[in-house]
Amino acid sequence: MKLTFTDETGREQRWPLHVGVRGKFRRRTCTLPPLKLDFNKGDLEAYGLSRHDKLKLVVPCQEGEAYENLVIREYLAYQIYADLTPYHFRTQLLALTLVDVHGNWPDQTLMAFVIEDTDEMAERLGGEEVDNLLGLTANQWNREAEMAHGLAQFLLGNHDYSLTMVRNIKQVRLIETGLLVPVAYDLDFSQLVYAPYATINTAAGQEAFTDRIYLGYPVTNEEVASMLERMEYQRRDVMKMVRQSKLLNYDDRHQMADRLQNGFNALRRVLRSNAKESIYTGLSGRENTALDSESDDLLGRD
């Protein structure tokens, strides 16, 4: 298979690459499953690029505008997550044209995005990926990074991950400290994306899709207070990112912004009701459901 594109000099490039399928769940669910792109390291090096050669490609699960919108929503969820924690994958949105070389199917252009090579991400963060270290204790993680990850997932309304079972996270060991940091991926089950095939995580205590439950390790009020203050400071930026996005129509932007605002409102509510008690207990309970519009107005919205 070949990847064809026009470079910044206007010259057409045609690069050979291997394309495979990935993702156990979506391979069973989607007519067009997620893909993985494997470039030739020698070709990359010849063009003066990094030798990190493996990219994940996220494409619509099914045909139609609604599923393309889900791809855009998930891309924005990655962008929001990246604003909330420095330990993240880089992503790039693109318009992807699929061409059947046998001519049996017409060309099809759709929205997609690529996700950074895992080894490149780990190197960028000053660490290296480690695989499937199960049942880790809290002291084996970088405390701030683990807490930022858990709170960012809380705001996205994503419960389709596990630190102890290493599901939908990458573990990166920082070379300087030897501690681990979690890096999230596969955000399509989050409330911000709201994929039709998404299910609740009953093992985590979810009883409804709108339940928000903090799945990180226990934290003290002092540890979580400064992190929540920083995320509240970033609220305007991430809300603006969604509300001013040109990628979605007005209704989709409004719906996605409301769900994100509900996450911030839930954090505020826990802080107010648990000022003298355990903030962690409040975050990890099932009471953090989406607030109605009247409650949103009482808490204030931008």
Side-chain angles (χ1 to χ4, degrees):
M1 186 171 291
K2 292 185 181 294
L3 173 70
T4 303
F5 65 97
T6 302
D7 65 22
E8 58 185 8
T9 69
R11 180 183 175 185
E12 185 179 89
Q13 301 280 355
R14 295 175 65 83
W15 289 13
L17 78 160
H18 179 265
V19 179
V21 296
R22 61 180 182 85
K24 295 180 181 179
F25 177 84
R26 281 194 258 189
R27 286 172 68 174
R28 298 193 303 266
T29 307
C30 302
T31 57
L32 182 59
L35 303 174
K36 53 185 175 183
L37 310 180
D38 191 352
F39 291 84
N40 182 285
K41 290 186 178 182
D43 289 341
L44 295 174
E45 197 168 40
Y47 281 99
L49 300 175
S50 164
R51 287 174 60 84
H52 297 296
D53 59 335
K54 294 177 176 61
L55 299 174
K56 292 180 179 179
L57 179 64
V58 180
V59 297
C61 176
Q62 308 283 351
E63 292 185 3
E65 182 181 356
Y67 280 92
E68 285 201 59
N69 284 344
L70 292 180
V71 169
I72 297 171
R73 283 172 177 258
E74 187 172 7
Y75 169 75
L76 287 173
Y78 271 93
Q79 296 296 104
I80 293 167
Y81 180 86
D83 257 20
L84 297 174
T85 172
Y87 302 105
H88 61 265
F89 280 102
R90 293 182 295 181
T91 53
Q92 176 64 55
L93 191 69
L94 50 85
L96 176 70
T97 300
L98 302 176
V99 178
D100 181 2
V101 295
H102 300 293
N104 296 324
W105 298 92
D107 295 357
Q108 183 180 11
T109 299
L110 42 80
M111 298 303 297
F113 66 90
V114 291
I115 303 175
E116 182 179 20
D117 180 283
T118 300
D119 288 335
E120 183 173 14
M121 174 272 292
E123 184 179 293
R124 176 172 56 83
L125 298 181
E128 57 184 5
E129 183 193 9
V130 292
D131 289 325
N132 299 327
L133 298 180
L134 302 176
L136 297 174
T137 57
N139 61 4
Q140 293 172 281
W141 297 90
N142 175 294
R143 191 71 163 164
E144 184 174 340
E146 187 274 317
M147 184 166 46
H149 166 266
L151 290 171
Q153 297 274 34
F154 182 95
L155 287 171
L156 297 178
N158 184 45
H159 302 82
D160 186 33
Y161 74 93
S162 171
L163 291 175
T164 55
M165 298 303 295
V166 197
R167 188 175 78 252
N168 289 340
I169 64 162
K170 292 296 183 181
Q171 300 168 318
V172 175
R173 189 185 302 280
L174 301 179
I175 295 174
E176 185 176 349
T177 64
L179 295 174
L180 297 167
V181 298
V183 181
Y185 67 95
D186 278 2
L187 303 176
D188 53 321
F189 275 46
S190 68
Q191 293 178 33
L192 264 63
V193 180
Y194 209 74
Y197 50 78
T199 57
I200 65 173
N201 186 350
T202 55
Q206 265 192 304
E207 295 179 348
F209 195 70
T210 52
D211 289 344
R212 277 184 166 85
I213 303 171
Y214 181 74
L215 300 182
Y217 290 101
V219 291
T220 66
N221 285 7
E222 291 74 18
E223 286 176 317
V224 76
S226 61
M227 182 70 68
L228 291 178
E229 183 179 353
R230 180 173 66 81
M231 288 188 170
E232 177 64 22
Y233 179 78
Q234 293 169 291
R235 179 172 60 90
R236 290 179 182 273
D237 288 340
V238 295
M239 292 299 298
K240 182 178 179 180
M241 183 192 306
V242 175
R243 288 174 173 160
Q244 296 186 2
S245 172
K246 304 299 183 183
L247 303 171
L248 296 170
N249 61 40
Y250 174 81
D251 288 340
D252 283 337
R253 290 198 306 270
H254 181 74
Q255 185 185 68
M256 193 173 184
D258 272 356
R259 289 173 182 159
L260 180 59
Q261 183 65 56
N262 283 339
F264 280 106
N265 288 344
L267 285 179
R268 291 174 176 180
R269 182 172 56 178
V270 169
L271 284 174
R272 292 177 183 179
S273 62
N274 294 71
K276 296 182 180 180
E277 300 175 5
S278 169
I279 296 175
Y280 169 75
T281 299
L283 290 173
S284 58
R286 288 194 299 269
E287 295 78 15
N288 303 304
T289 55
L291 303 180
D292 58 31
S293 59
E294 182 180 359
S295 297
D296 279 356
D297 292 338
L298 288 175
L299 286 172
R301 302 180 64 180
D302 294 329

